[in-house]
Amino acid sequence: MLVNTAAELCSEVVDTYQPLHVTMTIDIVDKRFGPVKAEAEISISPVQSKGFLEVLVEELESEHIFADENGSIYGSFGIDQSIQIYDEVLDTIPFESLIGHENWKKTVESYMMEDKLKNQLETVLKNYQFSDLSGKYKFRKICTITEFQCGK
């Protein structure tokens, strides 16, 4: 189906694309942690005022991570939290690449491919700021998604 206006496109996107549920296992580079399970909801959301669709992490939440303060050179940087990321924009799709084109859905779906989403989520995780047990210090850790699965 061809869409000819921004309003038509926004309506079609809302009707066609439900949020995508993702489950993943994250490896955090720190010898105190094993693999961390996480889940995310990713959606495609029109922003008509700006003229693009957002590929958006509505929420990404991990299981609880705990590291005790002993037995590591990072002793003062223990973590007692879960990863919580909300409303993070992974990518934007300009309306002009979709309006007036027969294959607009293929273009949108190319932004939702598993490999692409996995890479974008890894970037978000690498930028995630953990805090120490006191909450006083913020720091980053290298995170890699070792298992990734999209579902409806």
Side-chain angles (χ1 to χ4, degrees):
M1 176 184 160
L2 188 70
V3 289
N4 292 307
T5 66
E8 273 180 41
L9 176 65
C10 292
S11 175
E12 278 292 314
V13 166
V14 169
D15 291 345
T16 306
Y17 296 101
Q18 298 303 309
L20 186 66
H21 185 78
V22 173
T23 57
M24 63 191 109
T25 304
I26 302 166
D27 275 348
I28 301 172
V29 176
D30 186 317
K31 67 181 181 182
R32 297 170 298 174
F33 305 134
V36 177
K37 300 282 183 203
E39 295 192 11
E41 294 290 324
I42 300 172
S43 67
I44 297 175
S45 184
V47 184
Q48 196 160 350
S49 60
K50 294 184 180 175
F52 55 70
L53 305 179
E54 287 180 337
V55 180
L56 182 74
V57 179
E58 291 178 353
E59 72 178 275
L60 186 161
E61 188 141 359
S62 76
E63 65 186 18
H64 198 70
I65 301 167
F66 177 75
D68 69 43
E69 292 188 63
N70 302 319
S72 169
I73 58 169
Y74 302 107
S76 61
F77 291 114
I79 296 174
D80 186 8
Q81 66 184 65
S82 60
I83 297 171
Q84 296 179 325
I85 296 169
Y86 300 99
D87 298 332
E88 180 78 26
V89 177
L90 297 177
D91 215 335
T92 56
I93 311 166
F95 283 178
E96 61 262 20
S97 66
L98 306 173
I99 293 173
H101 298 284
E102 279 286 342
N103 62 349
W104 70 270
K105 286 183 184 177
K106 280 186 181 175
T107 302
V108 170
E109 285 159 12
S110 73
Y111 283 79
M112 297 296 281
M113 293 173 68
E114 275 194 26
D115 285 348
K116 189 168 190 171
L117 291 177
K118 180 181 172 205
N119 290 339
Q120 290 167 318
L121 285 171
E122 276 187 347
T123 301
V124 168
L125 288 166
K126 285 182 175 100
N127 288 326
Y128 185 77
Q129 289 199 336
F130 292 91
S131 16
D132 70 324
L133 295 174
S134 72
K136 190 174 173 183
Y137 300 101
K138 299 273 188 194
F139 54 95
R140 293 185 171 85
K141 290 202 167 289
I142 298 168
C143 298
T144 306
I145 299 172
T146 51
E147 213 177 297
F148 186 85
Q149 189 170 7
C150 291
K152 298 284 180 201

